[in-house]
Structure formats: structure tokens, C-alpha cells
């Protein structure tokens, strides 16, 4: 990736946006000019990048013809408002909100479905999936040939940072109030999150499913190339700032060879397999701040030889969001954007 290109990061002042900017520097991404964009109230602040402080601009005033690639790390409304403008200007984009049509902007996890890029026209539109989908895809994609999965059940305990900086601030405030014996008044969440677990991460639809649950189900089918896969997903909010934990059960087409599963996980890209007997990964103790998805507690079913159970821990903001977006961009540049750079 010797050529550089000009890039915009929308939502640069958010938790994921800031992490994304840090990773662009850490991974020596071939950035020419970097434009940091946010909503009007955040414009005017600055973020460090390669020894300089870059001013954050108002996305509403930005000309997307100045860049070849844009990361959309803000909410769905921002993506819906400005992604068409970016595409019309010939700018490729990677969206992290899940707001775009999965047909025109399909989900990409480089460890799972890099061949996806061969089917897309320029300017490229990609979705960096939800953090839970990224973690699942990294673990399940290398097992697909072994398992031929028929059914997937996921219980995802999500960190409050999945709701942005406001979720982090709310958990910190509630924790401080309780530890100081002050009355607790929920503000951002509808009830106490400190020292508690909330059974839903977002408002349910008419059938009782949250947006994140439907998004996870749709994305993992697409990432694994298994449209007929039956998926059950429950997303809960845990009193953790960063790091998701997933209890996963897979029903395979035939009896599961657990030894072969362990062997495959030991060599899977982007996966750290915790295999010592009695040990298991945790979000805070292992995954936070790391670039790998951690997996452990690999075991068969209690009474079903076709069942496989796993425990997954992953940094939702870093690996699940920012890093996957940057790795997708690296793949995009390596194989495709280099053909059209001037």
C-alpha cells in the first residue's frame, strides 16, 4: 500500500471515531490528507494525529469530492443524510452504523469474507458489521467447513459503550452515585445499569426483537454465506465500559469433532484461542485493547452430539468496530482502490 489517499472520518469525536483515528496512525495507514468531521456542536474541537492536532469540521459543510474514502462512524441518521452525498462525489465509504441497504453496502469482515469485494462496483460501499457480528464471524468462519452450521444461538452481553460515549458516562455516574450512597436517577438508560444487567439493548419492535438483534442475525448469515442459517439472538447490556462477552451455541449438520474445532481455532486469523484447562477469556482481563477475538470454553453439547458451545470475548470499540473498518479499508486499497488512484 505505497500510495496514499485522502480520507474523511465522520463521527471523529465519538468513542469509535477516536479509536479509528488512533488505528489509522498505529497501523501506518496510507493517509494523504485526513479530514475529521462531526456534527455542528462538535466542530471546532481537535484530535491528535501524527504529531499534529487536526481540527474537527462540520460534516454538513464538507465537500466529499476532496476525498476518496470516508469512514462513517456516527449514527444511522448521519449516514443516511450524508452517504448519498459521498457516493455521488465518487467517494468510496465504509459505514459502521448499519444504516445502508445490505445489498448495495454488504457487510465485510476480512477474516471471514474477503472475496466479497470481487462482486462490488466502484465507488465502493461497505458495511462494517456490529461488534458482535465481527466477533462471531472471526470465530465461526474458520469452523464453517467442519460444522456446516444449521442453527446458531447467541446471548451477547454488551458493554455500555455500544450506546456511545453517553452510555459510558451514564454507567460512571450511576456507579459513583451508588458507591457514595446518593440517590440514583437513571438518565440515559431507562433504569439502573450500574451493578445490574438489562435484558434488552435498545427498544424492541412489535415482535419483541431489538434492532441490534435483528442486525446480528442478518449480518452473520451474510458474512458466513449461509442465508438459510437459523439464528436466535439476545442482546443484553452489562455494567462494563468496554468489551463484549458472547455465549454461543451452534448446532451442526453432523456430530461435532471438538478436537478438530480446537485445532482450527488455534490457527484461525484474528482469533486468540484460550485452551488451557480451567481457563477462559474475559472482556476486561483479556480482550479490551487487543486486536484479536478471544474464544474459550469450547465444548460439545450436554446431550446433543451435533452441538458446539463457545465463549467469546472481544473489544467492541477497537476490534469489533474501528479495527474491522480499518482492516476493510486496507483490503479495499490493496486490491481495488490502487487501480483508480491518480
Amino acid at each position: 500500500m505505497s500510495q496514499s489517499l485522502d480520507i474523511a472520518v465522520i463521527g471523529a469525536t465519538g468513542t469509535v471515531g477516536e479509536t479509528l483515528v488512533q488505528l489509522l496512525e498505529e497501523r501506518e495507514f496510507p493517509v494523504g490528507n485526513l479530514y475529521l468531521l462531526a456534527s455542528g456542536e462538535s466542530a471546532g474541537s481537535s484530535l491528535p494525529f501524527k504529531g499534529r492536532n487536526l481540527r474537527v469540521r462540520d460534516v454538513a459543510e464538507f465537500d466529499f469530492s476532496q476525498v476518496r474514502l470516508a469512514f462513517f462512524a456516527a449514527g444511522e441518521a448521519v449516514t443516511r443524510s450524508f452517504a448519498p452525498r459521498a457516493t455521488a462525489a465518487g467517494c468510496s465509504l465504509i459505514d459502521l452504523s448499519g444504516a445502508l441497504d445490505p445489498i448495495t453496502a454488504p457487510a465485510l469482515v476480512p477474516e471471514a469474507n474477503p472475496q466479497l469485494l470481487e462482486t462490488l462496483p466502484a465507488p465502493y460501499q461497505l458495511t462494517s458489521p456490529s461488534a458482535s457480528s465481527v466477533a462471531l464471524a472471526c470465530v465461526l468462519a474458520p469452523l464453517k467447513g467442519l460444522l456446516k452450521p444449521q442453527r446458531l444461538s447467541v446471548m451477547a452481553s454488551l458493554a455500555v459503550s455500544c450506546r456511545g460515549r453517553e452510555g459510558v458516562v451514564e454507567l460512571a455516574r450511576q456507579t459513583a452515585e451508588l458507591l457514595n450512597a446518593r440517590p440514583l436517577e437513571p438518565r440515559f438508560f431507562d433504569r439502573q445499569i450500574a451493578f445490574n444487567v438489562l435484558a434488552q439493548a435498545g427498544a424492541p419492535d412489535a415482535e419483541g426483537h431489538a434492532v441490534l438483534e435483528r442486525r446480528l442475525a442478518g449480518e452473520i448469515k451474510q458474512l458466513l454465506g449461509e442465508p438459510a442459517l437459523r439464528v436466535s439472538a439476545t442482546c443484553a447490556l452489562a455494567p462494563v465500559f468496554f468489551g463484549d462477552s458472547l455465549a454461543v451455541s451452534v448446532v451442526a449438520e453432523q456430530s461435532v469433532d471438538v478436537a478438530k474445532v480446537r485445532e482450527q481455532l488455534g490457527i484461525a486469523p484474528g482469533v486468540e484461542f484460550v485452551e488451557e484447562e480451567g481457563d477462559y477469556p474475559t472482556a476486561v482481563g483479556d480482550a479490551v485493547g487487543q486486536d484479536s477475538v478471544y474464544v474459550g470454553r469450547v465444548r460439545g453439547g450436554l446431550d446433543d452430539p451435533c452441538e458446539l458451545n463457545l465463549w467469546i470475548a472481544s473489544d467492541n470499540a477497537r476490534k469489533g468496530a474501528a479495527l474491522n473498518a480499518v482492516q476493510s479499508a486496507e483490503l479495499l486499497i490493496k486490491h481495488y482502490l490502487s487501480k483508480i488512484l491518480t
Side-chain angles (χ1 to χ4, degrees):
M1 295 190 295
S2 59
Q3 293 175 296
S4 63
L5 69 162
D6 297 336
I7 294 173
V9 176
I10 298 91
T13 58
T15 301
V16 172
E18 287 187 358
T19 306
L20 203 156
V21 172
Q22 293 169 8
L23 284 169
L24 290 174
E25 181 170 351
E26 285 180 22
R27 296 175 68 85
E28 299 182 349
F29 193 90
V31 179
N33 294 312
L34 178 61
Y35 298 90
L36 304 182
L37 308 175
S39 57
E41 55 268 23
S42 298
S45 59
S46 63
L47 291 176
F49 183 73
K50 293 187 175 181
R52 298 179 296 153
N53 285 323
L54 300 184
R55 185 173 64 86
V56 178
R57 309 182 183 199
D58 189 342
V59 63
E61 300 174 357
F62 186 69
D63 178 6
F64 282 93
S65 66
Q66 297 179 81
V67 296
R68 293 298 187 101
L69 176 64
F71 294 97
F72 279 80
E76 294 183 26
V78 173
T79 295
R80 291 193 180 101
S81 295
F82 297 103
R85 185 188 300 183
T87 303
C91 174
S92 293
L93 64 88
I94 298 175
D95 174 52
L96 290 89
S97 74
L100 302 179
D101 187 332
I103 296 177
T104 57
L108 174 64
V109 173
E111 295 94 336
N113 64 334
Q115 71 283 356
L116 167 72
L117 295 176
E118 300 172 4
T119 66
L120 300 179
Y124 303 100
Q125 296 184 72
L126 294 170
T127 294
S128 186
S130 67
S132 297
S133 297
V134 171
L136 279 170
C138 286
V139 172
L140 295 182
L143 301 178
K144 179 182 170 182
L146 282 175
L147 299 179
K148 296 181 175 58
Q150 306 296 297
R151 185 172 182 84
L152 172 65
S153 297
V154 183
M155 169 61 196
S157 297
L158 307 181
V160 295
S161 51
C162 75
R163 298 288 300 275
R165 196 180 304 280
E166 295 93 339
V168 174
V169 171
E170 175 78 347
L171 175 57
R173 184 187 62 79
Q174 287 192 15
T175 301
E177 288 181 350
L178 290 172
L179 291 177
N180 287 280
R182 294 198 300 263
L184 185 147
E185 179 188 351
R187 298 175 187 171
F188 183 71
F189 299 111
D190 66 350
R191 64 195 74 191
Q192 178 181 329
I193 179 63
F195 308 103
N196 198 12
V197 177
L198 306 188
Q200 55 190 45
D205 59 20
E207 296 179 342
H209 303 290
V211 170
L212 273 176
E213 293 163 346
R214 289 196 180 276
R215 183 180 178 189
L216 187 157
E219 287 175 341
I220 198 62
K221 291 178 185 182
Q222 191 249 301
L223 290 166
L224 297 179
E226 297 285 347
L229 180 66
R230 292 173 291 171
V231 180
S232 172
T234 298
C235 294
L237 281 173
V240 176
F241 291 111
F242 294 94
D244 294 342
S245 301
L246 287 71
V248 181
S249 174
V250 184
V251 176
E253 184 179 69
Q254 54 195 12
S255 295
V256 175
D257 188 329
V258 177
K260 288 185 177 180
V261 169
R262 291 173 173 270
E263 180 181 344
Q264 192 63 41
L265 288 174
I267 60 173
V271 172
E272 188 73 25
F273 178 36
V274 179
E275 57 182 331
E276 185 176 342
E277 185 176 353
D279 196 9
Y280 55 88
T282 69
V284 175
D286 299 288
V288 171
Q290 303 303 312
D291 292 345
S292 297
V293 174
Y294 285 71
V295 60
R297 296 213 66 202
V298 177
R299 61 205 189 279
L302 286 172
D303 52 15
D304 184 352
C306 296
E307 182 180 348
L308 177 71
N309 295 286
L310 307 161
W311 177 260
I312 296 173
S314 178
D315 187 326
N316 59 305
R318 185 177 176 93
K319 173 59 180 174
L323 180 58
N324 189 74
V326 172
Q327 288 177 315
S328 297
E330 290 170 347
L331 192 63
L332 196 60
I333 294 172
K334 181 178 179 181
H335 294 290
Y336 296 93
L337 289 183
S338 60
K339 300 177 183 178
I340 61 172
L341 285 171
T342 56

